[in-house]
Amino acid sequence: MTNIFKRSSKAGLPPGSLIHVGEVREGRVRFTIFDYDKSHFSEKEVENVEECFRYTDNKTVTWINIDGIHQVDVIEKIGLNFGLTSLVLEDILNTNQRPKLEDFENYIYVVMKMISFDEKVNELTTEQVSFILAPNLVISFQERIGDTFDPVRGRLRAPKGRIRKMDADYLAYALIDSIVDNYFIILEKIGEKIDFIEEELVTDPTPDTLTTIHELKREMISLKRSIWPLREILNSLRMMESSLIMDSTHVYLKDVHDHIIQIIDTIETYKEMLSGMLDIYLSSLSNKMNEVMKVLTLVATIFIPLTFIAGVYGMNFQHMPELGWKWSYPVVWLIMISVGMSMVLYFKKMKWI
Amino acid sequence: MTNIFKRSSKAGLPPGSLIHVGEVREGRVRFTIFDYDKSHFSEKEVENVEECFRYTDNKTVTWINIDGIHQVDVIEKIGLNFGLTSLVLEDILNTNQRPKLEDFENYIYVVMKMISFDEKVNELTTEQVSFILAPNLVISFQERIGDTFDPVRGRLRAPKGRIRKMDADYLAYALIDSIVDNYFIILEKIGEKIDFIEEELVTDPTPDTLTTIHELKREMISLKRSIWPLREILNSLRMMESSLIMDSTHVYLKDVHDHIIQIIDTIETYKEMLSGMLDIYLSSLSNKMNEVMKVLTLVATIFIPLTFIAGVYGMNFQHMPELGWKWSYPVVWLIMISVGMSMVLYFKKMKWI
Amino acid sequence: MTNIFKRSSKAGLPPGSLIHVGEVREGRVRFTIFDYDKSHFSEKEVENVEECFRYTDNKTVTWINIDGIHQVDVIEKIGLNFGLTSLVLEDILNTNQRPKLEDFENYIYVVMKMISFDEKVNELTTEQVSFILAPNLVISFQERIGDTFDPVRGRLRAPKGRIRKMDADYLAYALIDSIVDNYFIILEKIGEKIDFIEEELVTDPTPDTLTTIHELKREMISLKRSIWPLREILNSLRMMESSLIMDSTHVYLKDVHDHIIQIIDTIETYKEMLSGMLDIYLSSLSNKMNEVMKVLTLVATIFIPLTFIAGVYGMNFQHMPELGWKWSYPVVWLIMISVGMSMVLYFKKMKWI
Amino acid sequence: MTNIFKRSSKAGLPPGSLIHVGEVREGRVRFTIFDYDKSHFSEKEVENVEECFRYTDNKTVTWINIDGIHQVDVIEKIGLNFGLTSLVLEDILNTNQRPKLEDFENYIYVVMKMISFDEKVNELTTEQVSFILAPNLVISFQERIGDTFDPVRGRLRAPKGRIRKMDADYLAYALIDSIVDNYFIILEKIGEKIDFIEEELVTDPTPDTLTTIHELKREMISLKRSIWPLREILNSLRMMESSLIMDSTHVYLKDVHDHIIQIIDTIETYKEMLSGMLDIYLSSLSNKMNEVMKVLTLVATIFIPLTFIAGVYGMNFQHMPELGWKWSYPVVWLIMISVGMSMVLYFKKMKWI
Amino acid sequence: MTNIFKRSSKAGLPPGSLIHVGEVREGRVRFTIFDYDKSHFSEKEVENVEECFRYTDNKTVTWINIDGIHQVDVIEKIGLNFGLTSLVLEDILNTNQRPKLEDFENYIYVVMKMISFDEKVNELTTEQVSFILAPNLVISFQERIGDTFDPVRGRLRAPKGRIRKMDADYLAYALIDSIVDNYFIILEKIGEKIDFIEEELVTDPTPDTLTTIHELKREMISLKRSIWPLREILNSLRMMESSLIMDSTHVYLKDVHDHIIQIIDTIETYKEMLSGMLDIYLSSLSNKMNEVMKVLTLVATIFIPLTFIAGVYGMNFQHMPELGWKWSYPVVWLIMISVGMSMVLYFKKMKWI
């Protein structure tokens, strides 16, 4: 699947036209709101977008997590309330975004891909996550309900965690970090698959092995496409001179940046390894074929001349003096055996058998 | 088709020599003029180039769209009236331009490729579009009448659209954006084709599949060639310190720039996917061939020695003692069966069948 | 042909040693002198190098075109008279130069490759052209008499041409431009060849097709080698802060620069296309071979077992009960037909035929 | 083995969570402490981490080498005592780090890979080494007890060695240098293997040769991955404006930097050589196969028609006039011989034999 | 041969440890001393290193050429006398250096590779040459006695040569230039080989052709490795702000720099050409094989069914009515001929013959 949702519905519309481009979903959009500072903590789940607006210009840090972006009017209301430009809203709604970072004066907008392994269909699924980082506010938009942010939720609920003492930028970092941590899990799974196929290559390669190698290569292409731009994004975040990002957060952003570089590194290594495995598969296949062909060649090459000799003395001519001689039959056998033997010896000498 | 029109007619001429290089067309050139500001809007279609000159140094924003560049004198008159250098006119007339941007002091010149999918011949067609952005004026030169700009026309006709409140640079952006939006449609069509072929590869690959993969690769090369330079062009437009481009337009240009990067990204991914598919096709072909060959090998290798044995006892020697023995015939059958069986077992052991 | 003339004759000599490295030629060197300004124009052809020296420190623009660089003493005299360093003279004489630009304080030295298509041997020939641009003076050194500069000569002869009103730098630009224009003609010819071979690939590919594709690839390598450095050279010329280059010429140099980029672009595209065509050729070849092999496989696989059966009943044992049975013969036919049929059906089922 | 230890256990934890990611080990962690200046030297091995803390803020240079990082509490205590941030401790514990350098205000943190050749399993093993360079203090963390640092220990023990007169930064350089020196030994071993295989390729290539080539390619990929980042790290160390690094050490760091570049260069060359060897192997294999096939082709092509002729005169029709003719038999022999001969001649003419 | 001498003997030694790493040689080290200025010239060959020390802090330019670096104590004495750091001495002794340039305050150190073609073993040999450029002094270290510097010696002996009037930096340039000139000779030789093989490819390709192509590719890899770093080195020399290099020498250094770029260019072109030739070889081989196989296929496919027919009528059943019919024999011939003919026609139609 080329994984590009119909963007064509948007062609020709003015910029900022709000149209949902992505998998069609049903059901209500769910809002989860965490509000906290050092001394205070509240968590609630609401179904009404207006509930979120109470947290505008709050003194405490607020994280609004929105599960579902298929209701355009909801996204529009949020944009209106929190002062987001329509171009950003358009990007949130369009799940074909390339990961990117945009720095507006009073908020920062980040798009990333959350990647998970769908056990049912045995393939990777990609989901777009958008973040808005404003003063004391983080809004995250997910395509569907997921558990990637659960560890962050857990840390928020713990009364003595560092995260409760920090600003919104640290929360944003923690969310991004939890997505990046997930990449490692995906890579580990793929690493296991590669190890498994590698063993299979040695013991019993089948055409399925080939298919799996190609599928893994495809997954590497799509992973790289989703993760590569993050390198630049996290670099920009680190270097950004924005009042939204505290100095103390820089060291954490550098840490995520290092993780991203390591992930990209691993993807490149996996790609090279898969290419090598493909070569091994193909040359082992051709080796095997050669073995088979060699046997045909030798058997045929030895017996075809012998069969010819037998054929000659199977002819029914009335005047074939050899037919009447007493020792003809054993002599012919001798000839045939020596022809066969000398061919075998020749093949041995040529190192063909 | 290498798609390069005879430029040789121009070799050796002084710079600025106006010669039309492109598909030969007939018929009159058509001018469509939109003139508007916040409060006013007029639209007309004229056939006389002089009609356009009324809009020189206008206070309202004017968009002159010219369908057809095959009449050199018409282009020359426009250049003369609006003060374009002959080098620019030369470029407008030469449909082999690489997309580029040129910043003159009082106007900006942009060349792009408009790509559309010609359903009749089932292939991509490329058309060159030139833009002149001057104060309060946009002139667009198309090779033929097309509908790519229709959405922009629609938005201009709507009395309350944002476009009516903006300057000429926003109009230029809207036109460029509509061309870029079209690229997405083309990519979606190609994406569908790739999905289709991918399925075909698994179910029933034919030599036609190969041809289609190669054609798609070719289209990717030509798409990339047309779109790659836009990256730099839009970057320059964004960074340009020109009085012709308002600050408020920068955010829109960044948006188009992001689209271009996403398109190039997709093209690269498609190219990698097509290469992978080619590999799969070739190795599945060779797998299939190997299967066929293995059957020949086995059948031939088993029956050639047996036929030899039969041949031996088909010889007509008078002195062949075995021929007279009572149990010779069943014994020979036993020998032949056991030879055949042991070969089958050997092949099984070698995992050849 | 690797196209590198024996440079070894020069190894170990001090820098500035004047030795002609190139195709050995005979005949006198020919000098063509154009001298002009707005109001005045003269053209003459001389055979004596001293005649050229009259134009030193002239007020009018002088173009000295020298056809033939095989007479070292002539080049030396020119260098002495016009004050060129011996390193430059050495480079002019050595036809293995990579295109380059050197800026001396009072003159600019440019080396380029003039490429033409030799109809007789059906291959590209490369000739080195050197330019000296000094105040009011352009000296051009060609290896042999050619017609590439004829259009410039024509424009010089026209009394009202722009070129007559411009300085020596414009003349140098015009000469460089005429060489670059020639590249387009070469590319068009190659483009036609590619189109022709592409059609041949579909209709009737032969081993000659392969050879032609490889030759075109070779030509692309050598073209790229000659043209690639021009990109940098023309960029330097444009950016150069030299009193020798007027501001008004910059726009023309940018124009040539754009042409060079377009040419390099086309070369890259052609290279990619040729690689694709090579792949198509090889896989169509292997497809064809597979078809042939499949027929052998099927025929052999069907008839080898049948021949064995016939062989069995051709044996001459005295005690073969089947031979005496009345219906043996038709039964054997039945068996053979059913064996053959079931193999055909098996092959059909496996989609081998 | 893809060589990535389960990082997934860490996903979702807050940054700075101390978890050991690496091969599971047992046994106590061992501390070796060297304490020296020009006039003084002491060396001891302790098993109690608290013993190390005596060297905090020492006037003499102290090197604490820690063998084993699997006891999280020990690493934590060290971090606490010497004031290392939890992010650094996390990185020390996680053996999947990409080599990197981090400059904190009062200490520098460097991670590298120590590579050794495990004779037992005949493959490369990689171990992570972390360094902390603080004023008068170097702490090195190894995964297990090893002998790579032995030469440095020897030099420290020698009373007149330069190392005793230098600061902690020189000690850190010496340790890094000893790891880099080890890379040369590894490369030499691989170079010997390559030479060996190269000879094998010429004399007697087997499928094992192919496997070894692929294994060496894999090792090259993993070596490059471990060593490539060092280039940047040593460049940063050289350029760093830190009070921790004396000016006199820069020349030594440049020396290591040059070594790294030479090592990377060698790795690249080996990779190219291995690719070339792979090509040679495959084409020699296909050459050999072709030889075998040609023999089959010739034998079969010559004898199949002859066998047919013999078969014809083995038919049992009552009315076959040739059968009764006196010279039929020798004439048929003549025909068969001349058919065979003319085919041999044809093959000779075609240069097939 | 991977061409890396055992560096492992050095692992773990402190920096500046003087150990000779290279081919083991015997015999005394030879010193050739040239001492000159405009008016004075002396040349002598000594065997005692102390003789060289008379030229320390000389007013005249001195060139000490040292043939042989296998005597560590000699190199050490030179280093001591002329004030070279032990790191430089270490590099001079280690013949595995990558070409590099180091600028110390009072001298410049350059390492290069001198490449020559060894006619005896028909392969390239590489020798390391080190230069020390100090005020009025050039010291050159060669691995063995060679003739590459002979032209420079000749020019020094000529009383009126420019070299006698110039400073030590010009001498250093002349020596470097003579090494670079040698590269051209090597490239010419390789170019001739490539031309020769190219012709062989067309007329009579053999497996030896393949081996030669691969060897040339290998030589290209090793040449590139030796020459590539020179690009940067000569650039640094040109740009260097050092009192050791006169302004007047810059133009000569630029000249060598241009030569290096041209050489690298040629190496790249040769590499591309060799890759192309490899492709041609392999596809011509497979073409040839296909031709052979096709003949087998056709002969076998035609005669196998005919042999079957003959086999059927060779069966010995008592009840085969056809055997008794009068016209059976000619009818069977007719059938066999028409079967054979129709197959030939089918093959012709399919364009297989």
Side-chain angles (χ1 to χ4, degrees), chain B residues 117-216:
Chain B
F117 187 80
D118 190 335
E119 303 279 359
K120 272 180 266 166
V121 293
N122 198 21
E123 64 183 25
L124 298 181
T125 58
T126 304
E127 180 189 349
Q128 179 161 311
V129 183
S130 305
F131 295 102
I132 298 292
L133 169 61
N136 280 333
L137 178 71
V138 172
I139 315 180
S140 56
F141 300 83
Q142 288 183 265
E143 287 187 55
R144 57 176 169 270
I145 298 171
D147 55 4
T148 309
F149 292 154
D150 278 357
V152 180
R153 287 184 193 109
R155 277 149 64 193
L156 280 173
R157 285 175 197 132
K160 296 199 171 161
R162 185 176 354 164
I163 197 167
R164 290 266 286 271
K165 298 172 197 124
M166 310 290 276
D167 277 316
D169 59 335
Y170 186 87
L171 175 62
Y173 145 73
L175 294 172
I176 290 172
D177 190 44
S178 69
I179 293 175
V180 172
D181 268 356
N182 229 28
Y183 295 159
F184 279 109
I185 300 179
I186 297 296
L187 281 185
E188 266 176 34
K189 281 216 175 96
I190 291 172
E192 280 165 19
K193 275 197 201 173
I194 289 177
D195 282 356
F196 179 78
I197 287 166
E198 200 154 40
E199 212 161 296
E200 209 179 71
L201 259 190
V202 178
T203 56
D204 183 26
T206 65
D208 278 358
T209 319
L210 186 69
T211 317
T212 319
I213 293 173
H214 274 296
E215 266 168 23
L216 285 170

Side-chain angles (χ1 to χ4, degrees), chain E residues 21 31 83 119 234 276:
Chain E
V21 179
F31 306 87
E119 302 280 359
L234 278 149

Side-chain angles (χ1 to χ4, degrees), chain C residues 128-232:
Chain C
Q128 179 161 311
V129 183
S130 304
F131 295 103
I132 298 292
L133 170 60
N136 279 333
L137 179 70
V138 172
I139 315 180
S140 56
F141 301 82
Q142 286 182 267
E143 286 187 57
R144 58 177 166 270
I145 299 170
D147 56 3
T148 308
F149 292 153
D150 278 357
V152 180
R153 288 186 192 106
R155 276 150 64 194
L156 279 173
R157 285 173 198 135
K160 296 199 170 160
R162 186 180 350 169
I163 197 166
R164 290 267 286 270
K165 296 172 199 126
M166 309 291 276
D167 278 315
D169 59 334
Y170 187 88
L171 175 62
Y173 146 74
L175 294 173
I176 291 172
D177 190 45
S178 70
I179 293 175
V180 172
D181 267 357
N182 228 29
Y183 296 158
F184 279 108
I185 300 179
I186 296 297
L187 280 185
E188 265 175 34
K189 281 217 176 95
I190 291 172
E192 280 165 19
K193 275 198 200 174
I194 289 177
D195 282 356
F196 179 77
I197 288 167
E198 200 154 39
E199 211 161 296
E200 208 179 70
L201 258 190
V202 178
T203 56
D204 184 26
T206 65
D208 280 359
T209 320
L210 185 69
T211 317
T212 319
I213 293 174
H214 274 296
E215 267 167 23
L216 285 169
K217 271 188 109 174
R218 278 283 300 274
E219 285 180 358
M220 283 301 126
I221 295 173
S222 106
L223 266 182
K224 194 180 152 190
R225 201 183 169 203
S226 300
I227 296 174
W228 185 261
L230 286 178
R231 196 178 155 138
E232 204 187 338

Side-chain angles (χ1 to χ4, degrees), chain B residues 6-7 96 218 313 329, chain C residues 188 192 198 262 316 322:
Chain B
K6 294 275 176 192
R7 232 197 88 105
N96 288 334
R218 279 283 300 273
Y313 293 105
Y329 180 54
Chain C
E188 265 175 34
E192 280 165 19
E198 200 154 39
Q262 197 185 339
N316 297 321
E322 297 99 317

Side-chain angles (χ1 to χ4, degrees), chain D residues 57-72:
Chain D
D57 300 323
N58 220 353
K59 292 281 177 215
T60 51
V61 179
T62 307
W63 169 29
I64 304 174
N65 182 49
I66 300 169
D67 289 317
I69 54 166
H70 48 282
Q71 289 186 308
V72 174

Side-chain angles (χ1 to χ4, degrees), chain C residues 21-188:
Chain C
V21 179
E23 222 173 284
V24 180
R25 290 177 209 282
E26 304 221 332
R28 289 192 62 77
V29 172
R30 204 183 63 165
F31 306 87
T32 331
I33 302 170
F34 282 76
D35 189 71
Y36 63 91
D37 63 7
K38 271 174 223 174
S39 53
H40 148 92
F41 175 78
S42 83
E43 172 183 359
K44 62 177 153 185
E45 205 181 308
V46 300
E47 294 230 334
N48 197 330
V49 64
E50 280 77 13
E51 293 258 4
C52 304
F53 301 161
R54 299 202 299 121
Y55 298 93
T56 324
D57 300 322
N58 220 352
K59 293 280 178 219
T60 52
V61 180
T62 309
W63 168 30
I64 305 173
N65 183 48
I66 299 169
D67 289 317
I69 54 167
H70 48 283
Q71 289 187 312
V72 175
D73 56 331
V74 166
I75 304 302
E76 204 167 3
K77 280 181 197 161
I78 287 169
L80 218 67
N81 182 72
F82 293 105
L84 309 177
T85 85
S86 56
L87 281 174
V88 160
L89 296 180
E90 198 186 349
D91 287 350
I92 289 170
L93 284 165
N94 181 346
T95 61
N96 288 333
Q97 292 305 311
R98 189 173 184 264
K100 68 175 175 179
L101 164 79
E102 276 181 280
D103 183 17
F104 296 89
E105 260 168 75
N106 43 353
Y107 59 96
I108 293 170
Y109 168 57
V110 178
V111 198
M112 291 175 73
K113 299 290 179 183
M114 190 184 269
I115 297 166
S116 51
F117 187 80
D118 191 335
E119 303 279 359
K120 271 181 268 167
V121 293
N122 198 21
E123 64 183 24
L124 297 182
T125 58
T126 304
E127 180 189 348
Q128 179 161 311
V129 183
S130 304
F131 295 103
I132 298 292
L133 170 60
N136 279 333
L137 179 70
V138 172
I139 315 180
S140 56
F141 301 82
Q142 286 182 267
E143 286 187 57
R144 58 177 166 270
I145 299 170
D147 56 3
T148 308
F149 292 153
D150 278 357
V152 180
R153 288 186 192 106
R155 276 150 64 194
L156 279 173
R157 285 173 198 135
K160 296 199 170 160
R162 186 180 350 169
I163 197 166
R164 290 267 286 270
K165 296 172 199 126
M166 309 291 276
D167 278 315
D169 59 334
Y170 187 88
L171 175 62
Y173 146 74
L175 294 173
I176 291 172
D177 190 45
S178 70
I179 293 175
V180 172
D181 267 357
N182 228 29
Y183 296 158
F184 279 108
I185 300 179
I186 296 297
L187 280 185
E188 265 175 34

Side-chain angles (χ1 to χ4, degrees), chain D residues 188 192 198 262 316 322, chain E residues 6-8 96 218 313:
Chain D
E188 266 175 34
E192 281 165 20
E198 200 154 38
Q262 197 185 337
N316 296 319
E322 297 100 316
Chain E
K6 294 274 175 191
R7 231 195 90 104
S8 47
N96 288 333
R218 278 284 300 274
Y313 292 106

